[in-house]
Amino acid sequence: MFEEHRTLDEVRWLYERVYDLPVVVMSNWVLLQVCDFVGGVIFPRELARKVLGHLNESLIPVIEHPHRKRWTILVYPNCLPDDVAERAMSRSCVSMTVRGDRVVLPLPCDRGGFRWIREPAKPVVLPKLSEIIAAMQAVQTWV
């Protein structure tokens, strides 16, 4: 992904022009700007693996936060979760971004350890939030 893009401005250009993602550069980081057409769902790593396995879709972009052992699945925010989904998310330590939030995007220098588990397609293909919520509910088992 970053073969020829080394500076923050080059990486910002790559995310904006090649992947069509809304980004900003702040304090030596490139950040995804959550808006009406892109957001994220933050999962514990193992639950994210189950959700992605259930969806059986390799184009879904996923970012790893290695120190927190969490993965962010980028989504198209087509809905808000209902009460049942919110309770399930809460019990599973799953959170959602909201409009105006920012998500750290991986950089070529591996600052902070953020990395792509699944790089975005060109241009990015995002699953609907409703699909991610349904997959999460499908794979959860309660003891």
Side-chain angles (χ1 to χ4, degrees):
M1 169 184 263
F2 298 116
E3 298 80 21
E4 300 172 14
H5 305 280
R6 297 289 178 218
T7 70
L8 287 176
D9 284 334
E10 289 171 340
V11 173
R12 178 192 52 76
W13 180 90
L14 174 74
Y15 282 131
E16 284 181 342
R17 301 292 184 233
V18 176
Y19 295 98
D20 201 25
L21 293 170
V23 297
V24 294
V25 174
M26 292 181 67
S27 302
N28 295 318
W29 293 97
V30 177
L31 306 170
L32 172 73
Q33 184 69 48
V34 175
C35 59
D36 291 338
F37 61 88
V38 64
V41 182
I42 303 101
F43 286 92
R45 184 185 315 158
E46 292 308 314
L47 180 54
R49 282 188 176 125
K50 290 178 184 178
V51 167
L52 292 167
H54 180 79
L55 292 169
N56 197 25
E57 175 58 62
S58 63
L59 295 178
I60 297 172
V62 182
I63 302 167
E64 178 181 36
H65 309 251
H67 304 297
R68 294 177 53 213
K69 297 181 179 153
R70 309 211 20 106
W71 287 6
T72 298
I73 299 175
L74 299 185
V75 299
Y76 171 70
N78 69 318
C79 68
L80 291 174
D82 62 21
D83 291 342
V84 172
E86 282 187 2
R87 284 193 299 278
M89 292 170 73
S90 178
R91 283 192 303 262
S92 301
C93 299
V94 174
S95 59
M96 270 182 22
T97 60
V98 296
R99 192 172 206 265
D101 283 349
R102 294 183 176 134
V103 176
V104 175
L105 294 174
L107 295 171
C109 61
D110 193 37
R111 183 181 301 133
F114 293 90
R115 70 182 184 98
W116 287 107
I117 297 298
R118 294 183 179 177
E119 290 184 11
K122 300 174 190 177
V124 69
V125 176
L126 298 174
K128 294 177 182 173
L129 175 58
S130 57
E131 296 167 341
I132 297 297
I133 290 170
M136 178 196 71
Q137 292 173 314
V139 301
Q140 287 179 320
T141 54
W142 305 107
V143 179

